PDB file of all heavy atoms in Angstrom:
ATOM      1  N   GLY A   1     103.828  87.826 105.549  1.00 93.00           N
ATOM      2  CA  GLY A   1     104.028  86.512 104.933  1.00 93.00           C
ATOM      3  C   GLY A   1     104.409  85.425 106.030  1.00 93.00           C
ATOM      4  O   GLY A   1     103.926  84.338 106.038  1.00 93.00           O
ATOM      5  N   LYS A   2     105.195  85.924 106.982  1.00 93.00           N
ATOM      6  CA  LYS A   2     105.602  85.072 108.082  1.00 93.00           C
ATOM      7  C   LYS A   2     104.402  84.572 108.896  1.00 93.00           C
ATOM      8  O   LYS A   2     104.410  83.449 109.380  1.00 93.00           O
ATOM      9  CB  LYS A   2     106.611  85.820 108.939  1.00 93.00           C
ATOM     10  CG  LYS A   2     107.105  85.052 110.187  1.00 93.00           C
ATOM     11  CD  LYS A   2     108.118  85.911 110.922  1.00 93.00           C
ATOM     12  CE  LYS A   2     108.583  85.248 112.176  1.00 93.00           C
ATOM     13  NZ  LYS A   2     109.589  86.128 112.936  1.00 93.00           N
ATOM     14  N   HIS A   3     103.401  85.425 109.005  1.00 93.00           N
ATOM     15  CA  HIS A   3     102.203  85.125 109.779  1.00 93.00           C
ATOM     16  C   HIS A   3     101.040  84.608 108.989  1.00 93.00           C
ATOM     17  O   HIS A   3      99.946  84.485 109.451  1.00 93.00           O
ATOM     18  CB  HIS A   3     101.794  86.341 110.622  1.00 93.00           C
ATOM     19  CG  HIS A   3     102.742  86.654 111.719  1.00 93.00           C
ATOM     20  ND1 HIS A   3     102.664  86.088 113.045  1.00 93.00           N
ATOM     21  CD2 HIS A   3     103.837  87.476 111.787  1.00 93.00           C
ATOM     22  CE1 HIS A   3     103.632  86.569 113.778  1.00 93.00           C
ATOM     23  NE2 HIS A   3     104.376  87.373 113.035  1.00 93.00           N
ATOM     24  N   GLY A   4     101.282  84.270 107.680  1.00 91.00           N
ATOM     25  CA  GLY A   4     100.285  83.737 106.835  1.00 91.00           C
ATOM     26  C   GLY A   4      99.165  84.709 106.493  1.00 91.00           C
ATOM     27  O   GLY A   4      98.011  84.315 106.291  1.00 91.00           O
ATOM     28  N   LEU A   5      99.415  86.049 106.413  1.00 91.00           N
ATOM     29  CA  LEU A   5      98.397  87.044 106.231  1.00 91.00           C
ATOM     30  C   LEU A   5      98.292  87.473 104.826  1.00 91.00           C
ATOM     31  O   LEU A   5      97.345  88.332 104.467  1.00 91.00           O
ATOM     32  CB  LEU A   5      98.702  88.252 107.163  1.00 91.00           C
ATOM     33  CG  LEU A   5      98.764  87.998 108.647  1.00 91.00           C
ATOM     34  CD1 LEU A   5      99.206  89.271 109.327  1.00 91.00           C
ATOM     35  CD2 LEU A   5      97.449  87.465 109.188  1.00 91.00           C
ATOM     36  N   LEU A   6      99.120  87.000 103.899  1.00 85.00           N
ATOM     37  CA  LEU A   6      99.015  87.384 102.526  1.00 85.00           C
ATOM     38  C   LEU A   6      98.111  86.473 101.771  1.00 85.00           C
ATOM     39  O   LEU A   6      98.033  85.287 102.033  1.00 85.00           O
ATOM     40  CB  LEU A   6     100.419  87.437 101.865  1.00 85.00           C
ATOM     41  CG  LEU A   6     101.386  88.434 102.511  1.00 85.00           C
ATOM     42  CD1 LEU A   6     102.721  88.329 101.813  1.00 85.00           C
ATOM     43  CD2 LEU A   6     100.881  89.921 102.446  1.00 85.00           C
ATOM     44  N   PRO A   7      97.374  87.034 100.802  1.00 69.00           N
ATOM     45  CA  PRO A   7      96.424  86.153 100.022  1.00 69.00           C
ATOM     46  C   PRO A   7      97.181  85.122  99.215  1.00 69.00           C
ATOM     47  O   PRO A   7      98.225  85.328  98.711  1.00 69.00           O
ATOM     48  CB  PRO A   7      95.663  87.168  99.166  1.00 69.00           C
ATOM     49  CG  PRO A   7      96.639  88.290  98.972  1.00 69.00           C
ATOM     50  CD  PRO A   7      97.393  88.394 100.297  1.00 69.00           C
ATOM     51  N   ARG A   8      96.561  83.938  99.079  1.00 57.00           N
ATOM     52  CA  ARG A   8      97.110  82.842  98.303  1.00 57.00           C
ATOM     53  C   ARG A   8      96.147  82.365  97.278  1.00 57.00           C
ATOM     54  O   ARG A   8      94.926  82.268  97.555  1.00 57.00           O
ATOM     55  CB  ARG A   8      97.583  81.706  99.184  1.00 57.00           C
ATOM     56  CG  ARG A   8      98.680  82.051 100.181  1.00 57.00           C
ATOM     57  CD  ARG A   8      99.098  80.888 101.015  1.00 57.00           C
ATOM     58  NE  ARG A   8     100.097  81.212 101.982  1.00 57.00           N
ATOM     59  CZ  ARG A   8     101.400  81.376 101.779  1.00 57.00           C
ATOM     60  NH1 ARG A   8     101.862  81.085 100.550  1.00 57.00           N
ATOM     61  NH2 ARG A   8     102.226  81.691 102.702  1.00 57.00           N
ATOM     62  N   GLY A   9      96.595  82.074  96.040  1.00 49.00           N
ATOM     63  CA  GLY A   9      95.711  81.495  95.041  1.00 49.00           C
ATOM     64  C   GLY A   9      95.078  82.571  94.181  1.00 49.00           C
ATOM     65  O   GLY A   9      94.949  83.711  94.554  1.00 49.00           O
ATOM     66  N   PRO A  10      94.711  82.178  92.909  1.00 52.00           N
ATOM     67  CA  PRO A  10      94.098  83.161  91.991  1.00 52.00           C
ATOM     68  C   PRO A  10      92.815  83.750  92.568  1.00 52.00           C
ATOM     69  O   PRO A  10      91.971  83.056  93.084  1.00 52.00           O
ATOM     70  CB  PRO A  10      93.802  82.267  90.726  1.00 52.00           C
ATOM     71  CG  PRO A  10      94.674  81.050  90.877  1.00 52.00           C
ATOM     72  CD  PRO A  10      94.805  80.844  92.386  1.00 52.00           C
ATOM     73  N   GLY A  11      92.708  85.088  92.438  1.00 51.00           N
ATOM     74  CA  GLY A  11      91.488  85.713  92.838  1.00 51.00           C
ATOM     75  C   GLY A  11      91.309  85.919  94.355  1.00 51.00           C
ATOM     76  O   GLY A  11      90.257  86.411  94.811  1.00 51.00           O
ATOM     77  N   ALA A  12      92.250  85.516  95.161  1.00 48.00           N
ATOM     78  CA  ALA A  12      92.125  85.590  96.630  1.00 48.00           C
ATOM     79  C   ALA A  12      92.116  87.104  97.025  1.00 48.00           C
ATOM     80  O   ALA A  12      92.848  87.942  96.466  1.00 48.00           O
ATOM     81  CB  ALA A  12      93.284  84.914  97.259  1.00 48.00           C
ATOM     82  N   GLN A  13      91.227  87.394  97.882  1.00 52.00           N
ATOM     83  CA  GLN A  13      91.100  88.785  98.353  1.00 52.00           C
ATOM     84  C   GLN A  13      91.839  88.975  99.683  1.00 52.00           C
ATOM     85  O   GLN A  13      91.571  88.245 100.659  1.00 52.00           O
ATOM     86  CB  GLN A  13      89.608  89.165  98.518  1.00 52.00           C
ATOM     87  CG  GLN A  13      88.823  89.151  97.233  1.00 52.00           C
ATOM     88  CD  GLN A  13      89.313  90.121  96.254  1.00 52.00           C
ATOM     89  OE1 GLN A  13      89.525  91.346  96.567  1.00 52.00           O
ATOM     90  NE2 GLN A  13      89.534  89.695  94.957  1.00 52.00           N
ATOM     91  N   PRO A  14      92.732  89.945  99.761  1.00 62.00           N
ATOM     92  CA  PRO A  14      93.433  90.117 100.984  1.00 62.00           C
ATOM     93  C   PRO A  14      92.631  90.711 102.160  1.00 62.00           C
ATOM     94  O   PRO A  14      91.787  91.598 101.908  1.00 62.00           O
ATOM     95  CB  PRO A  14      94.589  91.056 100.626  1.00 62.00           C
ATOM     96  CG  PRO A  14      94.032  91.889  99.486  1.00 62.00           C
ATOM     97  CD  PRO A  14      93.072  90.910  98.760  1.00 62.00           C
ATOM     98  N   GLY A  15      92.807  90.201 103.311  1.00 84.00           N
ATOM     99  CA  GLY A  15      92.152  90.893 104.439  1.00 84.00           C
ATOM    100  C   GLY A  15      93.055  92.042 104.889  1.00 84.00           C
ATOM    101  O   GLY A  15      92.614  93.164 105.169  1.00 84.00           O
ATOM    102  N   LEU A  16      94.383  91.822 104.844  1.00 94.00           N
ATOM    103  CA  LEU A  16      95.393  92.770 105.141  1.00 94.00           C
ATOM    104  C   LEU A  16      95.733  93.542 103.847  1.00 94.00           C
ATOM    105  O   LEU A  16      96.063  92.897 102.854  1.00 94.00           O
ATOM    106  CB  LEU A  16      96.633  92.147 105.750  1.00 94.00           C
ATOM    107  CG  LEU A  16      97.838  93.040 105.992  1.00 94.00           C
ATOM    108  CD1 LEU A  16      97.599  93.985 107.137  1.00 94.00           C
ATOM    109  CD2 LEU A  16      99.054  92.184 106.291  1.00 94.00           C
ATOM    110  N   ARG A  17      95.718  94.886 103.913  1.00 96.00           N
ATOM    111  CA  ARG A  17      96.105  95.625 102.743  1.00 96.00           C
ATOM    112  C   ARG A  17      97.320  96.525 103.143  1.00 96.00           C
ATOM    113  O   ARG A  17      97.400  97.017 104.274  1.00 96.00           O
ATOM    114  CB  ARG A  17      94.996  96.519 102.260  1.00 96.00           C
ATOM    115  CG  ARG A  17      93.769  95.834 101.832  1.00 96.00           C
ATOM    116  CD  ARG A  17      92.826  96.712 101.039  1.00 96.00           C
ATOM    117  NE  ARG A  17      92.375  97.864 101.847  1.00 96.00           N
ATOM    118  CZ  ARG A  17      91.856  98.983 101.320  1.00 96.00           C
ATOM    119  NH1 ARG A  17      91.798  99.176 100.035  1.00 96.00           N
ATOM    120  NH2 ARG A  17      91.521  99.992 102.130  1.00 96.00           N
ATOM    121  N   ILE A  18      98.301  96.626 102.186  1.00 97.00           N
ATOM    122  CA  ILE A  18      99.495  97.359 102.494  1.00 97.00           C
ATOM    123  C   ILE A  18      99.841  98.317 101.318  1.00 97.00           C
ATOM    124  O   ILE A  18      99.697  97.947 100.179  1.00 97.00           O
ATOM    125  CB  ILE A  18     100.707  96.413 102.646  1.00 97.00           C
ATOM    126  CG1 ILE A  18     100.440  95.393 103.842  1.00 97.00           C
ATOM    127  CG2 ILE A  18     102.018  97.153 102.922  1.00 97.00           C
ATOM    128  CD1 ILE A  18     101.425  94.251 103.897  1.00 97.00           C
ATOM    129  N   ALA A  19     100.149  99.578 101.639  1.00 97.00           N
ATOM    130  CA  ALA A  19     100.533 100.520 100.601  1.00 97.00           C
ATOM    131  C   ALA A  19     101.783 101.259 101.003  1.00 97.00           C
ATOM    132  O   ALA A  19     102.078 101.349 102.259  1.00 97.00           O
ATOM    133  CB  ALA A  19      99.408 101.557 100.339  1.00 97.00           C
ATOM    134  N   GLY A  20     102.573 101.648 100.090  1.00 97.00           N
ATOM    135  CA  GLY A  20     103.838 102.345 100.328  1.00 97.00           C
ATOM    136  C   GLY A  20     103.905 103.703  99.796  1.00 97.00           C
ATOM    137  O   GLY A  20     102.893 104.363  99.460  1.00 97.00           O
ATOM    138  N   HIS A  21     105.088 104.212  99.613  1.00 97.00           N
ATOM    139  CA  HIS A  21     105.301 105.629  99.052  1.00 97.00           C
ATOM    140  C   HIS A  21     106.699 105.614  98.401  1.00 97.00           C
ATOM    141  O   HIS A  21     107.660 105.136  99.052  1.00 97.00           O
ATOM    142  CB  HIS A  21     105.275 106.624 100.157  1.00 97.00           C
ATOM    143  CG  HIS A  21     105.285 108.050  99.670  1.00 97.00           C
ATOM    144  ND1 HIS A  21     106.383 108.638  99.162  1.00 97.00           N
ATOM    145  CD2 HIS A  21     104.325 109.008  99.684  1.00 97.00           C
ATOM    146  CE1 HIS A  21     106.085 109.921  98.857  1.00 97.00           C
ATOM    147  NE2 HIS A  21     104.851 110.140  99.111  1.00 97.00           N
ATOM    148  N   ASP A  22     106.832 106.053  97.182  1.00 95.00           N
ATOM    149  CA  ASP A  22     108.076 106.322  96.485  1.00 95.00           C
ATOM    150  C   ASP A  22     108.114 105.657  95.113  1.00 95.00           C
ATOM    151  O   ASP A  22     108.706 106.123  94.176  1.00 95.00           O
ATOM    152  CB  ASP A  22     109.397 105.880  97.238  1.00 95.00           C
ATOM    153  CG  ASP A  22     109.621 106.728  98.506  1.00 95.00           C
ATOM    154  OD1 ASP A  22     109.039 107.797  98.602  1.00 95.00           O
ATOM    155  OD2 ASP A  22     110.385 106.283  99.322  1.00 95.00           O
ATOM    156  N   ASP A  23     107.515 104.388  95.026  1.00 95.00           N
ATOM    157  CA  ASP A  23     107.695 103.548  93.844  1.00 95.00           C
ATOM    158  C   ASP A  23     109.120 103.155  93.619  1.00 95.00           C
ATOM    159  O   ASP A  23     109.792 103.325  92.592  1.00 95.00           O
ATOM    160  CB  ASP A  23     107.139 104.219  92.561  1.00 95.00           C
ATOM    161  CG  ASP A  23     106.830 103.154  91.490  1.00 95.00           C
ATOM    162  OD1 ASP A  23     106.617 101.983  91.836  1.00 95.00           O
ATOM    163  OD2 ASP A  23     106.763 103.520  90.267  1.00 95.00           O
ATOM    164  N   ASN A  24     109.624 102.515  94.660  1.00 90.00           N
ATOM    165  CA  ASN A  24     110.951 101.811  94.654  1.00 90.00           C
ATOM    166  C   ASN A  24     110.979 100.953  93.351  1.00 90.00           C
ATOM    167  O   ASN A  24     109.974 100.331  93.043  1.00 90.00           O
ATOM    168  CB  ASN A  24     111.085 100.984  95.905  1.00 90.00           C
ATOM    169  CG  ASN A  24     112.371 100.251  96.034  1.00 90.00           C
ATOM    170  OD1 ASN A  24     112.711  99.529  95.196  1.00 90.00           O
ATOM    171  ND2 ASN A  24     113.045 100.442  97.132  1.00 90.00           N
ATOM    172  N   PRO A  25     112.141 100.852  92.669  1.00 89.00           N
ATOM    173  CA  PRO A  25     112.177 100.074  91.442  1.00 89.00           C
ATOM    174  C   PRO A  25     111.758  98.559  91.638  1.00 89.00           C
ATOM    175  O   PRO A  25     111.315  98.011  90.645  1.00 89.00           O
ATOM    176  CB  PRO A  25     113.685 100.123  91.094  1.00 89.00           C
ATOM    177  CG  PRO A  25     114.148 101.410  91.636  1.00 89.00           C
ATOM    178  CD  PRO A  25     113.383 101.583  92.889  1.00 89.00           C
ATOM    179  N   MET A  26     111.819  98.068  92.824  1.00 91.00           N
ATOM    180  CA  MET A  26     111.420  96.703  93.058  1.00 91.00           C
ATOM    181  C   MET A  26     109.958  96.499  93.518  1.00 91.00           C
ATOM    182  O   MET A  26     109.509  95.394  93.602  1.00 91.00           O
ATOM    183  CB  MET A  26     112.357  96.035  94.116  1.00 91.00           C
ATOM    184  CG  MET A  26     113.754  95.971  93.746  1.00 91.00           C
ATOM    185  SD  MET A  26     114.053  95.045  92.190  1.00 91.00           S
ATOM    186  CE  MET A  26     113.515  93.398  92.650  1.00 91.00           C
ATOM    187  N   SER A  27     109.272  97.636  93.648  1.00 93.00           N
ATOM    188  CA  SER A  27     107.934  97.527  94.248  1.00 93.00           C
ATOM    189  C   SER A  27     106.993  96.769  93.377  1.00 93.00           C
ATOM    190  O   SER A  27     106.086  96.043  93.857  1.00 93.00           O
ATOM    191  CB  SER A  27     107.376  98.946  94.520  1.00 93.00           C
ATOM    192  OG  SER A  27     108.215  99.619  95.518  1.00 93.00           O
ATOM    193  N   ARG A  28     107.055  96.898  92.037  1.00 92.00           N
ATOM    194  CA  ARG A  28     106.118  96.216  91.183  1.00 92.00           C
ATOM    195  C   ARG A  28     106.460  94.720  91.022  1.00 92.00           C
ATOM    196  O   ARG A  28     105.674  93.936  90.454  1.00 92.00           O
ATOM    197  CB  ARG A  28     106.057  96.844  89.843  1.00 92.00           C
ATOM    198  CG  ARG A  28     107.332  96.901  89.036  1.00 92.00           C
ATOM    199  CD  ARG A  28     107.178  97.850  87.868  1.00 92.00           C
ATOM    200  NE  ARG A  28     108.419  97.962  87.071  1.00 92.00           N
ATOM    201  CZ  ARG A  28     108.548  97.344  85.857  1.00 92.00           C
ATOM    202  NH1 ARG A  28     107.576  96.573  85.375  1.00 92.00           N
ATOM    203  NH2 ARG A  28     109.672  97.448  85.189  1.00 92.00           N
ATOM    204  N   PHE A  29     107.601  94.277  91.575  1.00 93.00           N
ATOM    205  CA  PHE A  29     108.022  92.887  91.441  1.00 93.00           C
ATOM    206  C   PHE A  29     107.908  92.108  92.723  1.00 93.00           C
ATOM    207  O   PHE A  29     108.247  90.949  92.793  1.00 93.00           O
ATOM    208  CB  PHE A  29     109.509  92.795  90.959  1.00 93.00           C
ATOM    209  CG  PHE A  29     109.668  93.361  89.545  1.00 93.00           C
ATOM    210  CD1 PHE A  29     110.347  94.590  89.385  1.00 93.00           C
ATOM    211  CD2 PHE A  29     109.210  92.717  88.456  1.00 93.00           C
ATOM    212  CE1 PHE A  29     110.505  95.088  88.174  1.00 93.00           C
ATOM    213  CE2 PHE A  29     109.380  93.253  87.186  1.00 93.00           C
ATOM    214  CZ  PHE A  29     110.042  94.442  87.036  1.00 93.00           C
ATOM    215  N   MET A  30     107.390  92.823  93.808  1.00 91.00           N
ATOM    216  CA  MET A  30     107.133  92.084  95.028  1.00 91.00           C
ATOM    217  C   MET A  30     105.980  91.171  94.925  1.00 91.00           C
ATOM    218  O   MET A  30     105.182  91.179  93.941  1.00 91.00           O
ATOM    219  CB  MET A  30     106.904  93.130  96.121  1.00 91.00           C
ATOM    220  CG  MET A  30     108.092  94.053  96.453  1.00 91.00           C
ATOM    221  SD  MET A  30     107.624  95.274  97.672  1.00 91.00           S
ATOM    222  CE  MET A  30     109.166  96.137  97.787  1.00 91.00           C
ATOM    223  N   THR A  31     105.757  90.325  95.915  1.00 88.00           N
ATOM    224  CA  THR A  31     104.599  89.426  95.969  1.00 88.00           C
ATOM    225  C   THR A  31     103.861  89.618  97.292  1.00 88.00           C
ATOM    226  O   THR A  31     104.378  89.233  98.360  1.00 88.00           O
ATOM    227  CB  THR A  31     105.040  87.940  95.853  1.00 88.00           C
ATOM    228  OG1 THR A  31     105.771  87.784  94.658  1.00 88.00           O
ATOM    229  CG2 THR A  31     103.812  87.031  95.819  1.00 88.00           C
ATOM    230  N   PRO A  32     102.754  90.282  97.230  1.00 93.00           N
ATOM    231  CA  PRO A  32     102.064  90.927  96.090  1.00 93.00           C
ATOM    232  C   PRO A  32     102.806  92.186  95.684  1.00 93.00           C
ATOM    233  O   PRO A  32     103.496  92.812  96.506  1.00 93.00           O
ATOM    234  CB  PRO A  32     100.677  91.171  96.591  1.00 93.00           C
ATOM    235  CG  PRO A  32     100.837  91.443  98.099  1.00 93.00           C
ATOM    236  CD  PRO A  32     101.939  90.490  98.505  1.00 93.00           C
ATOM    237  N   SER A  33     102.585  92.612  94.438  1.00 95.00           N
ATOM    238  CA  SER A  33     103.133  93.905  93.973  1.00 95.00           C
ATOM    239  C   SER A  33     102.537  95.031  94.812  1.00 95.00           C
ATOM    240  O   SER A  33     101.362  94.984  95.222  1.00 95.00           O
ATOM    241  CB  SER A  33     102.901  94.066  92.527  1.00 95.00           C
ATOM    242  OG  SER A  33     101.492  93.996  92.222  1.00 95.00           O
ATOM    243  N   LEU A  34     103.327  96.056  95.014  1.00 96.00           N
ATOM    244  CA  LEU A  34     103.014  97.089  96.002  1.00 96.00           C
ATOM    245  C   LEU A  34     102.292  98.261  95.390  1.00 96.00           C
ATOM    246  O   LEU A  34     102.770  98.923  94.438  1.00 96.00           O
ATOM    247  CB  LEU A  34     104.265  97.567  96.661  1.00 96.00           C
ATOM    248  CG  LEU A  34     104.144  98.559  97.856  1.00 96.00           C
ATOM    249  CD1 LEU A  34     103.333  97.925  99.017  1.00 96.00           C
ATOM    250  CD2 LEU A  34     105.502  99.017  98.291  1.00 96.00           C
ATOM    251  N   THR A  35     101.111  98.589  95.975  1.00 97.00           N
ATOM    252  CA  THR A  35     100.455  99.854  95.650  1.00 97.00           C
ATOM    253  C   THR A  35     101.227 101.001  96.334  1.00 97.00           C
ATOM    254  O   THR A  35     101.565 100.870  97.520  1.00 97.00           O
ATOM    255  CB  THR A  35      98.995  99.833  96.177  1.00 97.00           C
ATOM    256  OG1 THR A  35      98.240  98.906  95.423  1.00 97.00           O
ATOM    257  CG2 THR A  35      98.361 101.214  96.101  1.00 97.00           C
ATOM    258  N   THR A  36     101.464 102.072  95.600  1.00 98.00           N
ATOM    259  CA  THR A  36     102.374 103.088  96.107  1.00 98.00           C
ATOM    260  C   THR A  36     102.146 104.413  95.415  1.00 98.00           C
ATOM    261  O   THR A  36     101.380 104.489  94.413  1.00 98.00           O
ATOM    262  CB  THR A  36     103.856 102.628  95.944  1.00 98.00           C
ATOM    263  OG1 THR A  36     104.732 103.557  96.632  1.00 98.00           O
ATOM    264  CG2 THR A  36     104.243 102.469  94.501  1.00 98.00           C
ATOM    265  N   ALA A  37     102.838 105.456  95.799  1.00 98.00           N
ATOM    266  CA  ALA A  37     102.823 106.710  95.187  1.00 98.00           C
ATOM    267  C   ALA A  37     104.224 106.921  94.476  1.00 98.00           C
ATOM    268  O   ALA A  37     105.246 106.906  95.128  1.00 98.00           O
ATOM    269  CB  ALA A  37     102.576 107.876  96.142  1.00 98.00           C
ATOM    270  N   ALA A  38     104.192 107.119  93.210  1.00 97.00           N
ATOM    271  CA  ALA A  38     105.410 107.205  92.456  1.00 97.00           C
ATOM    272  C   ALA A  38     105.911 108.647  92.433  1.00 97.00           C
ATOM    273  O   ALA A  38     105.241 109.516  91.968  1.00 97.00           O
ATOM    274  CB  ALA A  38     105.170 106.721  91.020  1.00 97.00           C
ATOM    275  N   GLN A  39     107.115 108.775  92.982  1.00 97.00           N
ATOM    276  CA  GLN A  39     107.758 110.128  92.945  1.00 97.00           C
ATOM    277  C   GLN A  39     108.226 110.433  91.509  1.00 97.00           C
ATOM    278  O   GLN A  39     108.642 109.508  90.760  1.00 97.00           O
ATOM    279  CB  GLN A  39     108.925 110.240  93.876  1.00 97.00           C
ATOM    280  CG  GLN A  39     108.489 110.122  95.354  1.00 97.00           C
ATOM    281  CD  GLN A  39     109.534 110.755  96.299  1.00 97.00           C
ATOM    282  OE1 GLN A  39     109.989 111.860  96.111  1.00 97.00           O
ATOM    283  NE2 GLN A  39     109.898 109.998  97.292  1.00 97.00           N
ATOM    284  N   ASN A  40     108.336 111.733  91.186  1.00 97.00           N
ATOM    285  CA  ASN A  40     108.763 112.120  89.854  1.00 97.00           C
ATOM    286  C   ASN A  40     110.274 112.318  89.834  1.00 97.00           C
ATOM    287  O   ASN A  40     110.786 113.463  89.960  1.00 97.00           O
ATOM    288  CB  ASN A  40     108.054 113.413  89.398  1.00 97.00           C
ATOM    289  CG  ASN A  40     108.264 113.774  87.942  1.00 97.00           C
ATOM    290  OD1 ASN A  40     109.194 113.281  87.286  1.00 97.00           O
ATOM    291  ND2 ASN A  40     107.326 114.516  87.457  1.00 97.00           N
ATOM    292  N   PHE A  41     111.045 111.212  89.854  1.00 96.00           N
ATOM    293  CA  PHE A  41     112.501 111.280  89.976  1.00 96.00           C
ATOM    294  C   PHE A  41     113.108 112.122  88.857  1.00 96.00           C
ATOM    295  O   PHE A  41     114.051 112.890  89.104  1.00 96.00           O
ATOM    296  CB  PHE A  41     113.047 109.882  89.927  1.00 96.00           C
ATOM    297  CG  PHE A  41     112.792 109.101  91.169  1.00 96.00           C
ATOM    298  CD1 PHE A  41     111.722 108.231  91.279  1.00 96.00           C
ATOM    299  CD2 PHE A  41     113.696 109.176  92.204  1.00 96.00           C
ATOM    300  CE1 PHE A  41     111.490 107.500  92.436  1.00 96.00           C
ATOM    301  CE2 PHE A  41     113.445 108.437  93.378  1.00 96.00           C
ATOM    302  CZ  PHE A  41     112.371 107.578  93.476  1.00 96.00           C
ATOM    303  N   GLU A  42     112.590 111.968  87.641  1.00 96.00           N
ATOM    304  CA  GLU A  42     113.184 112.670  86.494  1.00 96.00           C
ATOM    305  C   GLU A  42     113.061 114.232  86.694  1.00 96.00           C
ATOM    306  O   GLU A  42     114.073 114.899  86.511  1.00 96.00           O
ATOM    307  CB  GLU A  42     112.494 112.260  85.212  1.00 96.00           C
ATOM    308  CG  GLU A  42     113.129 112.936  83.983  1.00 96.00           C
ATOM    309  CD  GLU A  42     112.541 112.528  82.696  1.00 96.00           C
ATOM    310  OE1 GLU A  42     111.710 111.512  82.685  1.00 96.00           O
ATOM    311  OE2 GLU A  42     112.771 113.162  81.673  1.00 96.00           O
ATOM    312  N   ALA A  43     111.871 114.655  87.117  1.00 97.00           N
ATOM    313  CA  ALA A  43     111.710 116.107  87.346  1.00 97.00           C
ATOM    314  C   ALA A  43     112.544 116.583  88.488  1.00 97.00           C
ATOM    315  O   ALA A  43     113.148 117.650  88.481  1.00 97.00           O
ATOM    316  CB  ALA A  43     110.249 116.425  87.564  1.00 97.00           C
ATOM    317  N   ILE A  44     112.639 115.799  89.539  1.00 97.00           N
ATOM    318  CA  ILE A  44     113.417 116.217  90.693  1.00 97.00           C
ATOM    319  C   ILE A  44     114.909 116.322  90.357  1.00 97.00           C
ATOM    320  O   ILE A  44     115.583 117.273  90.669  1.00 97.00           O
ATOM    321  CB  ILE A  44     113.223 115.253  91.905  1.00 97.00           C
ATOM    322  CG1 ILE A  44     111.796 115.310  92.407  1.00 97.00           C
ATOM    323  CG2 ILE A  44     114.252 115.471  93.059  1.00 97.00           C
ATOM    324  CD1 ILE A  44     111.460 114.265  93.450  1.00 97.00           C
ATOM    325  N   GLY A  45     115.435 115.318  89.644  1.00 97.00           N
ATOM    326  CA  GLY A  45     116.836 115.347  89.210  1.00 97.00           C
ATOM    327  C   GLY A  45     117.135 116.389  88.254  1.00 97.00           C
ATOM    328  O   GLY A  45     118.146 117.257  88.464  1.00 97.00           O
TER     329      GLY A  45
END
């Protein structure tokens, strides 16, 4: 975001793509929301 690399406006296609791992509770509320792998916390606990 600091370098202006995130897409802006409806339907904008990102040149830079970012993915994570864990499905942190805030990941779906980021801008843009984060593609990630959701760990099975309930089963682990």
Side-chain angles (χ1 to χ4, degrees):
K2 179 179 177 180
H3 289 272
L5 301 176
L6 298 178
R8 298 181 182 277
Q13 296 298 312
L16 175 68
R17 299 193 302 160
I18 301 167
H21 188 290
D22 294 343
D23 200 21
N24 181 305
M26 297 303 296
S27 296
R28 63 193 180 102
F29 297 108
M30 295 176 182
T31 303
S33 56
L34 185 64
T35 291
T36 187
Q39 294 202 50
N40 193 339
F41 288 93
E42 181 177 350
I44 292 171

